[in-house]
């Protein structure tokens, strides 16, 4: 296992007292725009707030020359997917991507800004999968949709008639959970084509008792709370399921592709991401863990307004480009 320092050169894993100044500036910008988180946990109110927040933070993102919405029917539902294609590319690599949002928030457009940057910086096409959200759809609907979309595109070697070369997969938060679990499912089906996993501050188990959860689980600006995480699990699961499709941290991880795990040292999921890196290493996998100083949870969508996050994604895209070269 290789542990990488943050681009700032600060000590990896050194506990931070305050969030990075770039993120503090984003918080002020949102406050000045009267974009304050809803006081209730109503799913529709939260979705509306996040959509408005994404609209503000991603307003300066410039569309790629070729972007399109596709629909793939899985178990009777038309799963929306958004394809981001590198300029003038012919048969580029493709990364499947699953967005975060606690399995119940988020829409494809909300991740335009970071995914456009990744495509431009890496030369890799991205297919963002709009999996079914809870509570309208319970587990394992989202998991099954992600697995099937990946399986179908890999078998075709193309997306909507556009040929692609090698494959990777990535996701943030709950999306990283779906990506890791789906990669395990594909391995079980003897489909092991991914050459790189980009796992950004993922949730990989239902355990809320780790030291980082105990230390950072309040609403004190860390981007995620233990109360909200409990709500996400209750919303997502039907019978409090606990198998590896829900908790891939406890799966057999042998034979998985090389992975980059990136998490902030102010993220409640810090310890869980470190544990995943250690388990992957013990299983004989190639893994690179980066712990970013002064970074909270849920930051990937701030790349257009927070230089530290733009740099984080530049590093991820560079690693993706090298892995798929």
């Amino acid at each position: 296992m290789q542990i990488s320092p943050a681009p700032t050169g600060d000590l990896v894993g050194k506990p931070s007292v305050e969030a990075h100044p770039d993120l503090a500036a984003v918080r002020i910008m949102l406050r000045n725009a009267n974009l304050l988180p809803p006081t209730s946990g109503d799913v529709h109110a939260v979705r509306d707030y996040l959509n408005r927040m994404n609209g503000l933070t991603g307003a300066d993102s410039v569309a790629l020359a070729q972007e399109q919405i596709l629909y793939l029917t899985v178990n009777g539902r038309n799963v929306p997917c958004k394809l981001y294609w590198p300029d003038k590319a012919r048969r580029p690599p493709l990364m499947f991507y699953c967005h975060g949002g606690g399995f119940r928030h988020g829409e494809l457009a909300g991740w335009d800004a970071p995914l456009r940057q990744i495509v431009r910086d890496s030369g890799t096409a991205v297919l963002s999968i709009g999996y079914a959200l809870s509570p309208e759809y319970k587990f394992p609907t989202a998991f099954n949709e992600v697995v099937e979309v990946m399986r179908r595109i890999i078998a075709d070697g193309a997306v909507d008639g556009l040929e692609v070369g090698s494959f990777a997969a990535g996701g943030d938060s709950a999306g990283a959970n779906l990506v890791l679990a789906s990669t395990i499912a594909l391995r079980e089906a003897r489909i092991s084509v991914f050459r790189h996993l980009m796992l950004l501050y993922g949730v990989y188990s239902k355990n809320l008792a780790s030291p980082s959860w105990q230390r950072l689980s309040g609403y004190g600006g860390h981007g995620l709370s233990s109360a909200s995480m409990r709500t996400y699990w209750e919303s997502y699961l039907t019978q409090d399921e606990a198998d590896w499709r829900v908790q891939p941290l406890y799966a057999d991880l042998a034979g998985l592709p090389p992975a980059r795990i990136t998490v902030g040292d102010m993220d409640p999921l810090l310890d869980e991401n470190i544990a995943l890196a250690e388990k992957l290493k013990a299983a004989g996998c190639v893994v690179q863990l980066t712990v970013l100083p002064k970074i909270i949870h849920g930051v990937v969508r701030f790349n257009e307004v927070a230089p530290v996050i733009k740099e984080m994604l530049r590093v991820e895209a560079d690693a993706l480009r090298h892995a798929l070269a």
Side-chain angles (χ1 to χ4, degrees):
M1 176 174 65
Q2 183 178 356
I3 300 179
S4 298
T8 59
D10 290 333
L11 293 176
V12 174
K14 181 181 179 181
S16 301
V17 176
E18 297 180 354
H20 193 284
D22 290 354
L23 299 179
V26 173
R27 187 181 303 168
I28 293 171
M29 178 184 71
L30 294 174
R31 187 188 312 133
N32 289 342
N34 200 32
L35 277 172
L36 303 176
T39 55
S40 75
D42 175 74
V43 64
H44 299 292
V46 175
R47 288 174 182 173
D48 178 67
Y49 163 75
L50 292 175
N51 289 341
R52 289 184 290 117
M53 182 190 75
N54 292 339
L56 178 63
T57 60
D60 292 336
S61 178
V62 177
L64 295 160
Q66 188 171 355
E67 299 179 2
Q68 60 188 110
I69 300 291
L70 311 170
Y71 292 91
L72 287 83
T73 303
V74 179
N75 296 327
R77 195 180 88 90
N78 289 328
V79 181
C81 300
K82 187 163 186 177
L83 178 65
Y84 304 80
W85 197 259
D87 292 343
K88 301 178 181 178
R90 184 175 181 274
R91 205 169 179 269
L94 175 74
M95 180 173 73
F96 297 102
Y97 194 87
C98 292
H99 66 74
F103 306 103
R104 72 183 211 150
H105 306 133
E107 59 181 30
L108 294 174
W111 273 255
D112 277 342
L115 295 182
R116 287 167 178 164
Q117 181 188 336
I118 288 172
V119 171
R120 287 191 170 104
D121 288 351
S122 70
T124 300
V126 169
L127 185 70
S128 182
I129 303 172
Y131 57 86
L133 299 177
S134 66
E136 294 90 340
Y137 297 91
K138 296 285 193 174
F139 172 83
T141 303
F143 168 81
N144 288 339
E145 288 182 351
V146 173
V147 172
E148 178 59 19
V149 168
M150 289 179 170
R151 187 202 62 77
R152 199 175 300 175
I153 299 298
I154 290 169
D156 291 345
V159 184
D160 197 36
L162 297 169
E163 290 189 2
V164 296
S166 52
F167 293 95
D172 63 284
S173 195
N177 172 295
L178 290 168
V179 161
L180 181 58
S182 297
T183 301
I184 295 167
L186 292 174
R187 181 205 62 193
E188 293 295 287
R190 303 185 188 279
I191 302 172
S192 298
V193 299
F194 293 150
R195 292 171 55 183
H196 183 80
L197 294 181
M198 179 190 296
L199 302 176
L200 307 176
Y201 48 81
V203 54
Y204 305 113
S205 79
K206 296 189 290 183
N207 177 27
L208 300 178
S210 71
S212 63
W213 267 116
Q214 298 301 311
R215 187 173 71 254
L216 301 166
S217 64
Y219 280 105
H222 302 130
L224 183 65
S225 73
S226 55
S228 60
M229 194 70 246
R230 288 190 186 94
T231 297
Y232 296 155
W233 286 124
E234 291 169 0
S235 177
Y236 180 53
L237 301 175
T238 302
Q239 298 177 330
D240 199 25
E241 294 89 346
D243 64 58
W244 61 263
R245 297 171 300 166
V246 172
Q247 302 189 103
L249 178 63
Y250 305 131
D252 174 6
L253 302 179
L256 293 189
R260 277 184 58 87
I261 298 172
T262 300
V263 65
D265 74 344
M266 295 183 67
D267 191 323
L269 294 170
L270 171 63
D271 291 345
E272 188 155 310
N273 280 255
I274 293 172
L276 176 62
E278 292 172 344
K279 281 205 64 176
L280 284 167
K281 179 187 176 184
C285 303
V286 176
V287 58
Q288 187 167 8
L289 170 68
T290 300
V291 179
L292 298 169
K294 301 182 182 295
I295 300 301
I296 61 174
H297 187 77
V299 295
V300 71
R301 291 162 292 165
F302 299 156
N303 66 307
E304 289 293 333
V305 291
V308 67
I309 304 306
K310 182 173 284 291
E311 175 64 8
M312 179 190 86
L313 289 185
R314 186 199 65 76
V315 171
E316 296 296 331
D318 188 60
L320 177 64
R321 177 169 51 84
H322 280 91
L324 300 180

